[in-house]
Amino acid sequence: MAKSETKGEPVQPLPGAVVRTVQKGKRPLWLTAVFVVAAVVVATAAGGTVRWLQTRQKAPGLKVSSTIQKVQDIQNMAIAGNTKGAQQQLSQALDDPKLKPIDKVALLNTQGSLYENQKQYQKALATFKQVDTLMPTQGSAEAIGRVQEELGDKPAAVAAYKLAITRIDKNNPVVDTEKTRYENMITSLGGQP
């Protein structure tokens, strides 16, 4: 029987009612859970707000490269579904005679990815090969392998993935994971790592 807090008299519960007693000074478990969830929601909202502010505010003196800005604009255009406009912007940007090699690589990578996403694999392959000529990296070799795989040229894809292995930065903390990933890709294509 539960006791009334005012007079200490027993109180009869209603038939079928579940009687729960709460010790003085202790909260029910559900109330604690509500407080924890509320705290997590507030912390997440605060973190999201801070992150949003960080991405919206540029540090004084920090200038975003005009090419990087172009790449972002082109990517946004493509994401919005305007792939024709994105390709036109890329062509115009690539025609700039003052374009630095690093900027050309960034634009060509964007163009290759756009072709790849549109399943225009021959154009993507030609573009990624240009990138690899200008700046041979693990990423450019992997992109070539990926497109060769889509074109059904397994031996060329295997060769590109093997090349990517040789280009893995030895200081990369996940060098073994990257190597294993490429080896698995090579094996899945019927090649020997």
Side-chain angles (χ1 to χ4, degrees):
M1 295 253 167
K3 293 196 174 202
S4 166
E5 289 188 28
T6 55
K7 298 183 181 176
E9 301 170 1
V11 177
Q12 291 291 333
L14 295 173
V18 177
V19 177
R20 291 190 181 145
T21 58
V22 178
Q23 296 175 355
K24 268 191 169 173
K26 290 197 174 183
R27 282 187 219 134
L29 185 59
W30 67 269
L31 189 57
T32 302
V34 168
F35 284 130
V36 169
V37 169
V40 169
V41 168
V42 168
T44 303
T49 301
V50 168
R51 179 70 181 133
W52 180 80
L53 288 171
Q54 288 173 339
T55 60
R56 298 291 179 244
Q57 296 175 351
K58 294 184 175 119
L62 180 66
K63 184 181 176 204
V64 175
S65 157
S66 62
T67 303
I68 298 300
Q69 186 60 53
K70 280 181 193 171
V71 167
Q72 290 172 344
D73 292 344
I74 290 165
Q75 289 172 343
N76 290 336
M77 193 180 294
I79 289 168
N82 186 0
T83 54
K84 186 176 180 181
Q87 285 291 6
Q88 288 173 343
Q89 291 289 321
L90 276 166
S91 294
Q92 288 174 357
L94 285 165
D95 286 342
D96 182 356
K98 298 177 186 173
L99 197 59
K100 296 176 187 172
I102 188 77
D103 293 335
K104 186 171 187 173
V105 166
L107 291 166
L108 285 170
N109 261 322
T110 302
Q111 187 174 52
S113 295
L114 189 56
Y115 284 139
E116 186 178 4
N117 291 336
Q118 294 173 325
K119 300 186 186 320
Q120 296 180 26
Y121 298 120
Q122 289 295 343
K123 289 182 178 181
L125 180 60
T127 305
F128 287 135
K129 283 183 175 182
Q130 278 185 281
V131 170
D132 197 59
T133 300
L134 291 169
M135 187 177 288
T137 64
Q138 172 191 344
S140 61
E142 180 179 340
I144 290 169
R146 228 180 22 248
V147 173
Q148 293 285 26
E149 197 173 340
E150 289 294 339
L151 288 168
D153 191 345
K154 291 181 181 181
V158 166
Y161 293 141
K162 284 182 177 182
L163 182 59
I165 290 173
T166 66
R167 293 179 178 174
I168 296 172
D169 181 2
K170 304 306 179 223
N171 296 319
N172 184 340
V174 292
V175 65
D176 293 332
T177 304
E178 286 288 284
K179 184 177 179 193
T180 301
R181 182 173 68 89
Y182 288 124
E183 288 172 345
N184 290 338
M185 292 162 77
I186 291 167
T187 303
S188 74
L189 293 169
Q192 294 294 320

